[in-house]
Amino acid sequence: MNQNVPIPLPHGITLTIKREDLLHPHISGNKFRKLKYNVLEAKQQGKTALLTFGGAYSNHIAAAAAAGREYGFATIGIIRGDELADKIDTNPNLAFAAICGMHFKFVSREDYRRKTEPEFLDALSAEFSDCYILPEGGTNALAVKGCEEILTDADAGFTHICLAVGTGGTISGVINAALPHQQVVGFPALKNAALWDDIRTFATNNNWQLAEDFHFGGYGKVTAQLVTFINDFYDKTGIPLDPVYTGKMVFGVIELAHQGFFPPQSRVLLIHTGGLQGVEGMNLLLKKKHLPTIKTQKV
Ligand SMILES: *Cc1c(COP(=O)(O)O)cnc(C)c1O
């Protein structure tokens, strides 16, 4: 569903947002797209469990757990940080995954870094038999294929497509589906010099670029300025944003529009990739740090 964003911008630039966050109540936005063909493939291979990797605040972990529950797979989460094992209940993201039935294996940061090594994966396959392994963030060729379905024929009139970037899987699908006259602009939510190459392994077109100045200090880093922006945007538009991905992206788009990045009369499509289930956990952290918290729809 596309929705007009009533934020006035210079030079006749307009903003529209694609509400992928509303695709599914628990498998949010782009994670639904990324899991779709992987779940079908796992079924085809006769697997009974999905195994994947993530940090304590990973939206992918929550989405994979919910997908397992919905489509009849056991789920195993390899979680970064062995100090978290006795803190599941204090982390809303992990608590949600646990309610969906996810089994956790907490590993040290050192072991977690081996997440793509064949020997490490073989050992996990032996420990958890019959599992279909999804990489961290869920990015693989089937995930990119799913993300190619985000844009539809009705989006042909947009000049620019803007979205948040983590591992680069989602933007790769959007790039592949974009039309030659459309420019795709990615807003990385983290510092990662390898991202350009990671995207090139999946993206088949060259009509894209990254705006790298809007990560707010790195992955999961949230400032008072960002929280204020997200709350202000919610008041003005009724559209909730998450602080890890979509909040930073929309902040960046509006900033770039004022800096003259977009030509006059540009019709800019923002992709709301979801992530709202993470707001509760982030608010707990913000409270601890005596920072302002993000307004939510819940009363
Ligand atoms: C995971 C996630 C992203 C990043 O997706 P990638 O395919 O890893 O680039 C963007 N937005 C939200 C809300 C996410 O949860």
Side-chain angles (χ1 to χ4, degrees):
M1 179 194 81
N2 288 354
Q3 184 180 350
N4 173 49
V5 181
I7 298 279
L9 291 174
H11 315 302
I13 297 165
T14 60
L15 296 181
T16 304
I17 194 162
K18 185 179 283 294
R19 296 292 303 272
E20 292 276 294
D21 56 310
L22 301 176
L23 266 187
H24 188 285
H26 299 300
I27 312 172
S28 97
N30 66 334
K31 300 307 186 283
F32 182 90
R33 302 284 186 186
K34 294 174 85 168
L35 285 164
K36 177 180 166 186
Y37 289 107
N38 279 295
V39 163
L40 289 172
E41 177 65 20
K43 279 259 188 264
Q44 202 116 50
Q45 292 181 13
K47 303 289 190 190
T48 57
L50 305 174
L51 181 146
T52 194
F53 304 83
Y57 295 92
S58 162
N59 293 333
H60 168 65
I61 286 289
R69 181 178 60 178
E70 180 149 336
Y71 301 109
F73 293 93
T75 48
I76 299 138
I78 310 300
I79 308 296
R80 177 173 171 272
D82 42 13
E83 77 284 358
L84 293 162
D86 54 1
K87 296 199 186 115
I88 295 171
D89 293 340
T90 63
N91 179 303
N93 199 54
L94 293 182
F96 170 78
I99 287 169
C100 294
M102 182 172 265
H103 172 82
F104 299 121
K105 181 182 169 81
F106 293 91
V107 300
S108 66
R109 284 168 171 70
E110 199 181 350
D111 277 349
Y112 189 85
R113 271 195 288 276
R114 302 179 56 208
K115 61 190 182 279
T116 58
E117 288 179 17
E119 307 84 64
F120 189 64
L121 296 176
D122 285 347
L124 288 172
S125 292
E127 185 177 348
F128 304 100
S129 53
D130 259 355
C131 61
Y132 181 88
I133 298 185
L134 286 160
E136 181 182 48
T139 289
N140 58 18
L142 289 176
V144 172
K145 177 179 167 184
C147 292
E148 290 173 3
E149 297 174 355
I150 293 173
L151 292 179
T152 71
D153 293 346
D155 299 321
F158 293 105
T159 56
H160 296 77
I161 297 144
C162 298
L163 72 160
V165 177
T167 61
T170 306
I171 193 174
S172 296
V174 170
I175 291 165
N176 293 349
L179 298 167
H181 70 270
Q182 296 179 314
Q183 183 72 14
V184 180
V185 188
F187 292 76
L190 67 173
K191 295 182 242 179
N192 175 6
L195 201 47
W196 293 81
D197 285 335
D198 292 346
I199 294 170
R200 281 190 198 104
T201 59
F202 291 114
T204 51
N205 293 325
N206 291 319
N207 52 334
W208 60 277
Q209 67 200 97
L210 298 178
E212 296 181 290
D213 295 332
F214 302 101
H215 56 64
F216 286 78
Y219 181 73
K221 297 271 175 9
V222 176
T223 64
Q225 181 195 27
L226 180 64
V227 173
T228 302
F229 168 77
I230 288 171
N231 287 340
D232 194 43
F233 185 82
Y234 183 60
D235 286 342
K236 285 181 181 146
T237 67
I239 300 163
L241 300 173
D242 86 291
V244 179
Y245 292 103
T246 55
K248 294 179 181 184
M249 179 272 290
V250 177
F251 181 99
V253 169
I254 291 173
E255 186 66 26
L256 288 182
H258 286 287
Q259 288 173 10
F261 174 89
F262 299 104
Q265 313 304 324
S266 289
R267 291 180 300 279
V268 180
L269 179 67
L270 313 171
I271 312 233
H272 195 316
T273 41
L276 297 172
Q277 103 287 332
V279 170
E280 193 188 345
M282 183 57 75
N283 273 344
L284 292 177
L285 282 185
L286 292 171
K287 248 186 225 154
K288 255 194 210 160
K289 294 183 185 169
H290 304 287
L291 284 166
T293 57
I294 296 154
K295 285 188 206 170
T296 62
Q297 281 157 312
K298 276 187 231 151
V299 280

